Amino acid sequence: MGQLQSGVSNQAVKMSSTTSRYRWTICALLFFSVTINNLDRSILGLLAPMLQKDIGWNEIEYGNIVTAFQAAYALGLFLCGRIVDVYGARLVLPIALALWSVAAMAHGMVGTVIGFIYARIFLGLGESANFPSAVKVAAEWFPKRERAFATGIFNAGSNVGNIFAPIIIPWIALQWGWREAFVATGAVGFIWIVFWLFLYGKPEKVKKVNEEELAWINQDDDAGSAELSQQKISWLGLLKYKQTWAFAICKFLTDPIFWFFLFWLPKWLHDARGIDMAHMAMPLVLINILATMGGLAGGYLPAWMVNRGMAVNKARKLTLLLCATCVLPILLVSNVSNLWVAVSLIGLAVAAHQGWSVNLYTSVSDMFPKQAVGAVVGIGCLIGSLGSILFTQATGHILQATGNYWSIFLMGGFAYLLGFLIMHFLIPTMAAAKFK
């Protein structure tokens, strides 16, 4: 890791025309799992205006439904990071995806606030395994120089799903009903499970990975990391590292903003801008196209800088700072009268969040050995979910009392800069955690 942080990767390992590229097949599988993951969790926000009319919940009750998902997600993350490290993503991820697919379909079989709360609880428990699994798989299948870009690609699935969702889901709901929309989207996950079971394995066990690609994947490994891989790393023991807390605090501050984007933007379009469900597609598609571009750019930019000799710490930090700065214009949204200008400002903020998220996740594999990545991501996502629960409850009460989104955008605008400053204070050089 020291070599990479100085800006120089292992030059003895090079790609050639005969090197296999199977790791990108694995990246594609992760991309689609993230797409399905986000589709199943975001459908609630898209259908919220219709559901609010049919079921009759208020802003606080809607906030409680969202909170139920986040609390279950947090509980799942408390367990899943370590479970993924112990049992591996090949087993854990398809089981989790089957659970959340059934839970997603169950939304179409309930008709009360309590029924939705129970469905969201099981959805959150299942979905909690997705990102710890994906980040661990990226650490196992990609060298450090490629991980941010690979993470950017599979993380873009969260936005690609949201590009198609506003087009497909309202159409299904308006044609056949909201129950059918939940069932149709939930069933998609079972198709992915079949492909995963046939295509996924550890790099050294997959026949389509030749020796050159395996050497490329393992170029950062050395004798020290091999010796470390034989040690057991305590879940609680990870809490003593500043690197863990830098990641977790950033998640606590910025995850709530993404959850707000995910669950409340359709309501914002409806309540603050007077857009009905039949006409929400274009604003939401624009926002998510920008978000997809932001995620990919956030993955490509640090790789581009590292390949030109910049240290990993500087490349990662510069990208995080740029992303944090690009969120700030969201402060103007409530004062902008033109819908498309407001939508573009939100799109820029969501794009910046995705670029931020890509580099934040990748920083874990920069600073921790592969066998600890899942646990650290689980800890950070758990803390992020706790922050999201608090923010969601505050959002519901603020909107119920005032009907105004300005204070929410204000908090969102400054959250990323605060996170960046705390991270830089805790880990100014983004040094690797030192295990004894």
Side-chain angles (χ1 to χ4, degrees):
M1 188 171 293
Q3 287 180 318
L4 187 61
Q5 287 174 329
S6 68
V8 181
S9 187
N10 187 344
Q11 299 299 322
V13 181
K14 296 182 179 180
M15 297 282 287
S16 73
S17 59
T18 60
T19 304
S20 57
R21 302 289 193 278
Y22 195 78
R23 64 194 182 283
W24 298 108
T25 299
I26 301 302
C27 188
L29 286 171
L30 296 177
F31 169 86
F32 285 111
S33 78
V34 173
T35 300
I36 296 167
N37 180 278
N38 221 61
L39 182 65
D40 287 340
R41 72 172 62 167
S42 65
I43 183 174
L44 179 69
L46 287 168
L47 298 180
M50 178 183 285
L51 292 168
Q52 188 164 4
K53 181 180 178 180
D54 287 358
I55 298 173
W57 61 48
N58 59 31
E59 295 288 359
I60 294 175
E61 287 174 323
Y62 179 67
N64 289 338
I65 292 170
V66 174
T67 297
F69 171 86
Q70 293 169 329
Y73 192 73
L75 176 62
L77 288 166
F78 181 78
L79 303 171
C80 282
R82 174 55 71 194
I83 290 172
V84 171
D85 282 335
V86 173
Y87 294 102
R90 175 173 172 79
L91 175 65
V92 173
L93 191 50
I95 291 174
L97 203 144
L99 173 61
W100 92 58
S101 295
V102 171
M105 297 171 72
H107 286 66
M109 303 172 190
V110 299
T112 64
V113 171
I114 294 298
F116 271 90
I117 285 175
Y118 281 122
R120 298 307 282 181
I121 287 172
F122 284 100
L123 182 71
L125 288 172
E127 289 201 355
S128 64
N130 189 62
F131 268 97
S133 297
V135 176
K136 184 174 180 64
V137 169
E140 291 175 341
W141 273 90
F142 291 89
K144 292 185 179 74
R145 65 166 73 188
E146 288 183 337
R147 279 180 204 161
F149 187 51
T151 304
I153 290 175
F154 73 69
N155 192 55
S158 61
N159 300 114
V160 171
N162 286 342
I163 290 172
F164 291 102
I167 300 171
I168 298 170
I169 291 172
W171 181 80
I172 295 174
L174 292 170
Q175 291 293 320
W176 290 287
W178 57 264
R179 296 182 186 277
E180 287 74 9
F182 278 111
V183 172
T185 55
V188 173
F190 293 101
I191 300 172
W192 179 92
I193 291 172
V194 174
F195 281 93
W196 178 262
L197 294 176
F198 274 102
L199 297 175
Y200 184 79
K202 290 290 185 71
E204 61 273 14
K205 295 182 179 180
V206 175
K207 293 181 180 179
K208 292 185 179 181
V209 176
N210 63 18
E211 292 183 3
E212 288 179 324
E213 184 177 18
L214 189 60
W216 177 261
I217 291 169
N218 295 325
Q219 65 181 267
D220 305 305
D221 292 348
D222 53 30
S225 63
E227 181 181 345
L228 181 60
S229 68
Q230 305 303 316
Q231 300 180 18
K232 291 184 177 180
I233 300 174
S234 165
W235 195 96
L236 292 176
L238 292 168
L239 296 178
K240 70 182 181 181
Y241 294 99
K242 293 186 294 182
Q243 292 88 340
T244 302
W245 286 106
F247 175 71
I249 291 171
C250 284
K251 294 290 284 181
F252 180 85
L253 291 170
T254 61
D255 272 16
I257 313 308
F258 182 71
W259 289 113
F260 169 76
F261 292 146
L262 187 66
F263 290 122
W264 298 89
L265 278 186
K267 288 178 64 60
W268 170 78
L269 286 168
H270 181 269
D271 299 341
R273 298 288 170 163
I275 307 297
D276 61 30
M277 196 169 73
H279 298 90
M280 281 186 189
M282 286 308 297
L284 293 175
V285 166
L286 174 60
I287 288 170
N288 285 289
I289 288 174
L290 292 173
T292 302
M293 295 169 61
L296 293 173
Y300 176 79
L301 182 60
W304 181 83
M305 289 189 281
V306 168
N307 286 334
R308 279 154 183 78
M310 185 178 291
V312 168
N313 169 61
K314 188 173 182 180
R316 193 82 64 221
K317 291 282 184 69
L318 283 176
T319 305
L320 287 167
L321 179 59
L322 175 62
C323 293
T325 304
C326 287
V327 178
L328 289 175
I330 202 175
L331 299 172
L332 305 174
V333 167
S334 294
N335 298 320
V336 171
S337 58
N338 184 279
L339 170 65
W340 295 105
V341 174
V343 165
S344 297
L345 292 175
I346 291 175
L348 176 63
V350 181
H353 172 88
Q354 293 297 70
W356 168 276
S357 184
V358 165
N359 284 276
L360 195 59
Y361 277 123
T362 308
S363 71
V364 176
S365 58
D366 287 341
M367 299 182 294
F368 289 91
K370 294 176 183 179
Q371 66 271 25
V373 166
V376 175
V377 170
I379 292 168
C381 290
L382 166 62
I383 302 299
S385 293
L386 296 177
S388 300
I389 290 169
L390 296 174
F391 193 80
T392 295
Q393 287 294 302
T395 298
H397 284 82
I398 289 170
L399 293 179
Q400 186 69 21
T402 69
N404 194 305
Y405 286 82
W406 180 82
S407 59
I408 300 166
F409 288 129
L410 177 66
M411 290 184 281
F414 287 106
Y416 296 82
L417 276 179
L418 179 59
F420 174 82
L421 291 173
I422 291 173
M423 170 179 266
H424 188 65
F425 173 77
L426 288 175
I427 46 171
T429 61
M430 206 171 277
K434 296 186 182 300
F435 293 85
K436 294 182 180 180

